Amino acid sequence: MEWGDKIEWLQDLAEEGEAIPALGNQPTIPAHLEFAWSAFWALKNDRPLGFAMIGRISFSAIDRFARRYDVHGDAFERLRVLIAAMDAAFVEKVMARPK
């Protein structure tokens, strides 16, 4: 999650000769999880923000995304659970940062 939606930018910098040590530690996303990973990053800004707080991605945001991509039934539940788990880890990491 450290790289998030900046991964392509970091990869471009590396291709231009810039040393990006963090790219050597980049996790590999299994093919069957790539859609959920992409969905999480597409929805990352669709969350409520408050005073010194970051909210969770809402069910309705996930539902709208799933409807757009024709994800229903068990596939929707799996996507919802995966996004919720990634979101919980993301929020925990963001809230743990020094203010």
Side-chain angles (χ1 to χ4, degrees):
M1 287 195 186
E2 297 287 323
W3 302 282
D5 56 356
K6 309 282 188 283
I7 188 66
E8 290 178 11
W9 176 70
L10 291 172
Q11 289 171 334
D12 288 345
L13 286 176
E15 288 174 10
E16 293 172 3
E18 186 81 27
I20 311 290
L23 287 177
N25 298 325
Q26 181 184 354
T28 302
I29 306 299
H32 69 283
L33 296 175
E34 287 177 358
F35 181 76
W37 182 250
S38 295
F40 170 73
W41 288 108
L43 293 169
K44 75 176 175 55
N45 291 322
D46 199 351
R47 64 175 79 245
L49 299 174
F51 182 73
M53 290 291 299
I54 180 172
R56 301 287 174 94
I57 297 171
S58 69
F59 176 90
S60 59
I62 298 169
D63 187 51
R64 282 191 312 271
F65 184 91
R67 287 174 191 264
R68 164 86 38 136
Y69 291 97
D70 201 30
V71 178
H72 304 283
D74 289 343
F76 170 76
E77 271 308 301
R78 181 171 181 260
L79 179 66
R80 184 191 63 75
V81 167
L82 288 169
I83 290 174
M86 288 184 278
D87 197 34
F90 179 83
V91 169
E92 181 180 326
K93 189 162 191 75
V94 167
M95 295 306 295
R97 290 181 184 158
K99 307 296 186 256

